[in-house]
């Protein structure tokens, strides 16, 4: 049993009630669920299966695994074939299925690192949509860029600014996801560091920061635009009380209802007197870690972009001309003009460790793409006696031990 802070336990017991809180405490004695989300673009041929995997019921491409493998040793993970994501966070997919959105909308993920919800959002939107994924902290933005790049979708850009920069830029969006920084109570079972970092003072700091972020985001929404607000915490200060504050401050805000199924065991509002539709995942009740979600619409219209603007190109950057004040991080090309060379498992892992390769004699000289099971990992330059590794050095696997036997999560039919 985890040593939970006394102030947290006292407050949360009162918030959830004895029965819910007891089930939550019991969840610390159970194995935490392991789940992944397939990349529908890369796995579109349907010629794959997973042994003993169960679907995540609120996500079209989500699956629970029976046990946690070492994902570092799977080349298909590094190829962006799937993303390791906590199941409750995949509820975003169900939200996007139900809300009215345009096939050509412009979206923003305001607090996007490490990229789980951003990659889900981009996969759920049509190819004609544009998504900006933002992370204010630079080292976290670099991780976000890596995950977005490996996911491999078009019209997806990573930025590294504070939310107020978007407000000042006058950019407008049809959909904004605010998965705001929070006190992390919903991650206590998964990450013991969040227990050590928690305090009542941290909760106070978080709900104030969250309101600042929402204020910036609301100014960036088109009329009829959607704001998806989420945290991975339980307390009402960062959740229901913030939603009530939004409704009081922004008179054009309306909470939307999302249809759910009883067998998902999603909990509604826990704030006395507040009855708007909100969705809370509690470990021990739902098969997940903790999450809170609320969906709001600005105004009475639908989230439809009536004008995308003219686009200008600057290198690999693409912006509406009136919206050039937010620069994107430079993309890292993982594909070059050249043939594709299939690698063995040991070669693929050597490549991901940024080692030089020896390719088959018939491989043409020059730039080539190296792949595992048909999925590109990145570029190399074949000079004959060896192939120089062009995989980004900052992404390389640092482990020196590589297993001899490859136990794939995904198998060809």
């Amino acid at each position: 049993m985890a040593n939970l802070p006394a102030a947290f336990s006292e407050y949360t017991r009162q918030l959830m009630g004895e029965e819910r809180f007891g089930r939550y405490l019991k969840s610390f004695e159970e194995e935490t669920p392991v789940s992944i989300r397939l990349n529908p673009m890369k796995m579109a041929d349907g010629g794959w299966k997973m042994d003993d995997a169960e679907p995540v019921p609120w996500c079209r491409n989500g699956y629970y695994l029976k046990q946690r493998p070492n994902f570092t040793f799977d080349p298909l993970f590094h190829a962006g074939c799937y993303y390791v994501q906590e199941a409750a966070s995949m509820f975003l997919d169900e939200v996007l299925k139900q809300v009215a959105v345009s096939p050509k909308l412009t979206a923003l993920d305001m607090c996007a690192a490490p990229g789980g919800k951003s990659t889900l959002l981009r996969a759920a939107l049509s190819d004609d949509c544009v998504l900006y994924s933002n992370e204010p902290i630079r080292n976290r933005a670099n991780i976000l860029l890596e995950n977005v790049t490996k996911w491999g979708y078009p019209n997806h850009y990573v930025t590294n600014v504070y939310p107020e920069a978007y407000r000042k830029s006058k950019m407008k969006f049809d959909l904004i996801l605010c998965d705001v920084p929070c006190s992390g109570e919903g991650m206590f079972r998964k990450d013991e560091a969040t227990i050590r970092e928690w305090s009542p003072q941290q909760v106070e700091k978080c709900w104030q920061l969250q309101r600042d972020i929402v204020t910036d985001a609301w100014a960036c929404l088109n009329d009829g635009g959607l704001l998806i607000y989420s945290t991975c915490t339980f307390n009402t200060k960062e959740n229901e009380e913030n939603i009530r504050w939004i409704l009081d401050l922004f008179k054009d805000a309306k909470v939307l209802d999302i249809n759910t199924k009883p067998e998902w065991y999603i909990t509604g509002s826990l704030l006395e007197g507040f009855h708007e539709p909100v969705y809370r995942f509690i470990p021990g009740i739902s098969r997940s870690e903790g999450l809170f979600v609320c969906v709001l619409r600005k105004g009475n219209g639908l989230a439809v972009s009536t004008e995308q603007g003219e686009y200008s190109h600057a290198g690999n950057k693409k912006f509406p001309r009136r919206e050039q004040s937010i620069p994107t991080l430079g993309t890292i090309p993982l594909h070059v003009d050249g043939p594709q060379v299939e690698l063995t498992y040991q070669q693929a892992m050597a490549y991901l460790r940024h080692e030089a390769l020896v390719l088959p004699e018939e491989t043409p000289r020059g730039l080539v793409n190296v792949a595992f099971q048909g999925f590109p990992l990145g570029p190399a330059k074949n000079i004959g006696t060896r192939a120089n590794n062009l995989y980004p050095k900052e992404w390389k696997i640092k482990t020196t031990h590589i297993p001899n036997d490859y136990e794939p999560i995904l198998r060809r039919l």
Side-chain angles (χ1 to χ4, degrees):
M1 175 63 67
N3 186 19
L4 299 177
F8 165 79
S9 294
E10 180 181 356
Y11 170 87
T12 308
R13 184 188 300 274
Q14 182 177 5
L15 176 68
M16 293 184 181
E18 285 294 338
E19 194 272 337
R20 283 198 189 102
F21 188 69
R23 293 175 65 179
Y24 167 65
L25 290 181
K26 186 173 177 57
S27 73
F28 284 87
E29 303 171 6
E30 303 165 354
E31 292 290 330
T32 58
V34 181
S35 50
I36 65 171
R37 179 172 41 79
L38 299 184
N39 186 332
M41 180 178 67
K42 296 188 178 183
M43 313 306 292
D45 63 4
W48 296 86
K49 70 171 183 176
M50 287 180 288
D51 296 334
D52 299 324
E54 298 178 52
V56 173
W58 47 80
C59 180
R60 287 164 285 189
N61 300 297
Y63 293 89
Y64 292 106
L65 304 182
K66 290 295 184 183
Q67 57 187 1
R68 177 175 290 276
N70 193 324
F71 296 107
T72 300
F73 296 141
D74 186 0
L76 297 185
F77 167 68
H78 300 281
C81 294
Y82 62 89
Y83 193 99
V84 183
Q85 186 174 30
E86 197 281 309
S89 295
M90 299 184 197
F91 184 63
L92 176 62
D93 187 61
E94 185 66 30
V95 170
L96 295 170
K97 281 171 57 180
Q98 296 189 32
V99 296
V101 295
S102 163
K104 292 187 178 181
L105 62 77
T106 301
L108 168 65
D109 186 350
M110 188 69 91
C111 313
K117 293 184 179 67
S118 262
T119 53
L120 187 158
L121 178 58
R122 190 63 196 88
L125 298 176
S126 72
D127 288 347
D128 291 331
C129 294
V130 177
L131 173 60
Y132 292 84
S133 294
N134 180 65
E135 171 53 47
I137 309 303
R138 185 54 188 254
N139 64 335
R140 288 172 54 82
N142 290 335
I143 295 171
L144 172 64
L145 178 62
E146 176 183 352
N147 288 327
V148 165
T149 302
K150 290 178 176 179
W151 200 242
Y153 277 68
N155 299 329
H156 194 174
Y157 307 103
V158 174
T159 61
N160 175 217
V161 297
Y162 284 93
E164 66 177 347
Y166 270 98
R167 173 176 52 81
K168 292 178 180 179
S169 77
K170 307 299 182 182
M171 293 177 73
K172 294 291 183 179
F173 298 89
D174 308 299
L175 172 65
I176 299 180
L177 170 62
C178 285
D179 185 43
V180 290
C182 68
S183 58
E185 296 165 354
M187 295 292 106
F188 281 2
R189 184 172 67 149
K190 183 180 178 182
D191 183 4
E192 290 187 3
T194 59
I195 299 176
R196 296 190 295 271
E197 294 166 0
W198 186 92
S199 68
Q201 294 76 21
Q202 182 69 6
V203 171
E204 293 296 310
K205 178 181 178 181
C206 285
W207 71 254
Q208 295 177 59
L209 172 62
Q210 291 154 2
R211 294 186 182 188
D212 290 341
I213 293 171
V214 168
T215 300
D216 291 327
W218 199 259
C220 296
L221 268 180
N222 282 323
D223 181 52
L226 297 171
L227 177 73
I228 303 174
Y229 177 91
S230 65
T231 73
C232 59
T233 205
F234 299 132
N235 69 79
T236 62
K237 289 186 176 182
E238 299 178 67
N239 293 323
E240 286 94 338
E241 293 178 53
N242 270 351
I243 302 303
R244 186 173 61 187
W245 170 83
I246 293 172
L247 296 174
D248 289 342
L249 181 63
F250 303 111
K251 300 305 181 182
D252 55 350
K254 178 183 178 182
V255 176
L256 301 187
D257 194 5
I258 303 299
N259 294 322
T260 63
K261 296 182 179 180
E263 60 266 29
W264 297 354
Y265 300 104
I266 298 174
T267 303
S269 174
L270 295 179
L271 178 62
E272 185 176 354
F274 185 84
H275 306 295
E276 296 287 352
V278 298
Y279 308 91
R280 182 185 268 98
F281 292 73
I282 301 174
I285 298 175
S286 56
R287 192 177 177 187
S288 67
E289 304 307 319
L291 184 78
F292 174 92
V293 177
C294 182
V295 186
L296 303 104
R297 189 186 299 281
K298 180 179 183 179
N300 297 315
L302 297 178
V304 176
S305 281
T306 58
E307 179 185 3
Q308 290 295 320
E310 295 182 50
Y311 283 87
S312 61
H313 296 266
N316 53 24
K317 300 177 183 179
K318 178 181 176 186
F319 305 97
R321 286 180 179 159
R322 67 182 185 279
E323 299 171 353
Q324 293 188 11
S325 56
I326 304 293
T328 63
L329 297 185
T331 57
I332 300 173
L334 288 183
H335 186 273
V336 295
D337 291 331
Q340 182 163 298
V341 181
E342 185 72 14
L343 301 182
T344 66
Y345 174 71
Q346 291 296 332
Q347 286 178 317
M349 294 307 298
Y351 177 79
L352 294 168
R353 288 190 296 180
H354 209 271
E355 298 174 5
L357 300 175
V358 177
L359 300 177
E361 291 184 5
E362 64 273 17
T363 304
R365 302 289 180 92
L367 294 175
V368 299
N369 300 286
V370 298
F372 180 72
Q373 295 190 358
F375 293 101
L377 296 173
K381 185 175 183 179
N382 186 32
I383 60 175
T385 56
R386 71 175 189 279
N388 292 333
N389 195 323
L390 301 182
Y391 192 68
K393 290 183 179 179
E394 60 271 26
W395 296 359
K396 71 177 183 179
I397 297 172
K398 296 180 173 61
T399 181
T400 57
H401 170 71
I402 302 296
N404 293 323
D405 296 326
Y406 171 55
E407 293 292 338
I409 296 171
L410 303 169
R411 299 179 186 272
R412 286 283 188 188
L413 292 176

